[in-house]
Amino acid sequence: MTKRNLKGELREILSATVVLRRGSGAQKLSLLGAIVVTQADRALQKDARAAKVVLEIARECGIFDGSHQEYAHDLTKLTDDELEVLTPIIAKCQIPIRDEDEE
């Protein structure tokens, strides 16, 4: 029997998908994402403690220090040979994303 470590178990728990209902809508998020959104909503209602939590999470993630950058991929810059190699790699690592209306 394999002993699970706490870090791995926590990662699995916090990455589990949940449905967060807000107003008349709903969205699928990780449990951690839902917690952050909920805290952000409370922060907008003038809850200073919730605002501190959200800002601390953002700081820990490097949002404010410039280390957090997102990139887009311009596949038009690849040659036909490069695309031929890349296509099966992308297909292998794709995971389906269910639409919110599919529930």
Side-chain angles (χ1 to χ4, degrees):
M1 182 152 130
T2 311
K3 188 192 269 189
R4 295 184 66 174
N5 67 26
L6 182 59
K7 185 176 180 179
E9 191 169 336
L10 185 58
R11 181 178 288 121
E12 185 177 321
I13 291 167
L14 292 175
S15 63
T17 301
V18 297
V19 176
L20 179 64
R21 301 191 189 291
R22 298 169 71 199
S24 62
Q27 66 185 122
K28 290 182 182 180
L29 297 167
S30 66
L31 178 57
L32 181 58
I35 291 169
V36 173
V37 168
T38 301
Q39 289 298 310
D41 286 346
R42 290 180 182 159
L44 291 173
Q45 300 301 315
K46 300 182 181 174
D47 182 334
R49 191 169 169 198
K52 183 178 180 182
V53 168
V54 172
L55 293 173
E56 181 64 21
I57 291 169
R59 187 187 67 74
E60 286 291 324
C61 291
I63 301 296
F64 303 122
D65 64 10
S67 66
H68 177 79
Q69 295 181 1
E70 294 184 24
Y71 296 94
H73 301 287
D74 183 1
L75 300 180
T76 63
K77 294 183 178 185
L78 298 178
T79 66
D80 288 343
D81 290 340
E82 290 168 331
L83 281 172
E84 193 173 318
V85 171
L86 183 60
T87 301
I89 294 169
I90 290 173
K92 185 176 182 179
C93 65
Q94 285 179 332
I95 54 173
I97 298 175
R98 290 186 294 159
D99 192 18
E100 291 176 12
D101 298 331
E102 289 182 16
E103 282 193 53

